[in-house]
Amino acid sequence: MLNPSHPFLHTYARYPLTLVRGEGVRVQDDSGRWYLDACTGIAVMALGHAHPEVKAAVLAQLDGLWHGSNLVHMPSQQACATRLSRAFDDAAVFFTNSGVEANEAAVKLARKHHHRRGDPRSEILTATHAFHGRTLLGLAMTPKDKYRTGFGPLPPDIRSVPVEDLAAAVTERTAAVVIEPVQGEGGCRPVTQLAAIRAACDANGALLITDEIQCGLGRKGHFRTPVRSDIVALAKALGGGLPLGAAVAVNPELHDAFQPGDHGTTFGGNPVACAAADATLRIILEQDLPARCGSMGGRLRAGLEDLGLEVTGQGLMLAAHLGRPAAPLLAAMRDRGVIACPSGAEAVRFLPPFIIDEGHVDELIAATGAALADCA
Ligand SMILES: *Cc1c(COP(=O)(O)O)cnc(C)c1O
């Protein structure tokens, strides 16, 4: 039934929180209260809110062109693609609006690559506890009954196996393995088998697609995943808060797999989003923020462990596993002035901005400790 004051389909059970403003590591609600933001709109605001250089880039672009489409050339899109390309070994880039569209482009590119070589394989392998998005392809790669029930049939020839069995599951029928280097919704679990999965892909002519939509661009402590991927899917932090994703074809053999007309998007690579992304990427790289994610993440992890919490994750992508529903602790943390988010039902996930400093980390730990006591 429609609630006239909340005219939405019922996709989200929202927090009782209305945000109106963001500045640096903090956000403000409609009563004027400020919070330390350890959720960043689900791993999006890597440079914090309203970063002055990103804002200046967006405002300059707004004085020029707001939208032009991919039928034409646009300087901010060109600049952003060039920066991304250089950061990924002269990769070729396809821009999207969102994460799941980046995965979609990556999977289509992988299948097309095999098809063009006269070896039309279609099997896509993913891991259990993976999260790859909510379209029908995203769901087909996300083996969680709670998300899938009622939406079938899903696209075929997509299979999920436990991450430790993935390498052995790759065969000469496999078009690509799609894997998150650190599983985000699945409890911030770093995948330790990446090198074995890479080797299995190489042995069988399959491609490796890393879904770095959540962990990418430095959050996990390094800008690039040490294991070579053929295609990297990005989004979330990429657009600096504006909607932008990218399928980044690192393997040069893939650069000609798409030909004009094979794939497309109206809004993907919007020039305003690309202006924000170009500034965001420049600052992440110039200021070596991935290293900062590593060091601040280490401090946060140690502080949370000192509170007696079981912590998993990497860099500034950490989950505290409670063994009981996380919602009451998340609410108590908001009362203590900190916003975090869940990972599954029983873990609290910390996704603070890359620019967080020691004082903020200590504030986060203290608020979490106080909230734990409030909930006891
Ligand atoms: C958020 C996320 C997605 C989906 O991104 P959307 O922008 O919501 O479509 C896919 N994969 C991972 C790992 C994510 O964290």
Side-chain angles (χ1 to χ4, degrees), residues 48-262:
H49 296 267
H51 190 286
E53 289 173 58
V54 179
K55 185 173 170 182
V58 167
L59 290 176
Q61 186 63 39
L62 286 174
D63 278 334
L65 185 75
W66 294 16
H67 174 77
S69 90
N70 293 302
L71 297 175
V72 299
H73 298 276
M74 297 178 282
S76 69
Q77 193 193 64
Q78 174 79 34
C80 184
T82 302
R83 199 182 295 281
L84 255 187
S85 171
R86 291 201 180 128
F88 287 90
D89 300 339
D90 299 322
V93 176
F94 177 82
F95 284 124
T96 68
N97 303 288
S98 68
V100 76
E101 289 171 277
N103 282 335
E104 176 95 24
V107 168
K108 283 183 71 177
L109 184 67
R111 283 187 174 168
K112 196 67 198 278
H113 164 75
H114 294 298
H115 183 86
R116 268 169 56 100
R117 288 152 50 109
D119 176 15
R121 326 163 160 209
S122 55
E123 184 186 64
I124 304 295
L125 294 177
T126 72
T128 46
H129 308 296
F131 180 82
H132 296 296
R134 301 289 205 123
T135 62
L136 291 175
L137 176 71
L139 287 181
M141 302 198 297
T142 301
K144 189 165 171 175
D145 288 343
K146 179 166 168 275
Y147 291 167
R148 286 180 169 188
T149 303
F151 296 114
L154 300 176
D157 214 13
I158 299 175
R159 212 155 56 82
S160 301
V161 299
V163 73
E164 57 276 13
D165 300 336
L166 249 181
V170 179
T171 69
E172 288 181 352
R173 286 200 55 252
T174 308
V177 174
V178 182
I179 186 105
E180 298 160 87
V182 183
Q183 295 187 319
E185 309 302 306
C188 295
R189 310 261 179 204
V191 170
T192 54
Q193 297 84 355
L194 278 180
I197 294 167
R198 171 79 262 177
C201 287
D202 287 342
N204 290 280
L207 297 174
L208 180 62
I209 299 171
T210 49
D211 176 347
E212 307 191 23
I213 290 165
Q214 184 163 159
C215 68
L217 302 177
R219 180 168 290 283
K220 65 183 170 336
H222 32 63
F223 190 84
R224 295 276 303 267
T225 298
V227 169
R228 172 175 51 87
S229 30
D230 296 298
I231 312 173
V232 180
L234 297 171
K236 292 203 164 91
L238 177 63
L242 297 188
L244 188 70
V248 179
V250 181
N251 180 345
E253 285 179 39
L254 299 172
H255 290 183
D256 298 322
F258 279 160
Q259 292 299 312
D262 280 348

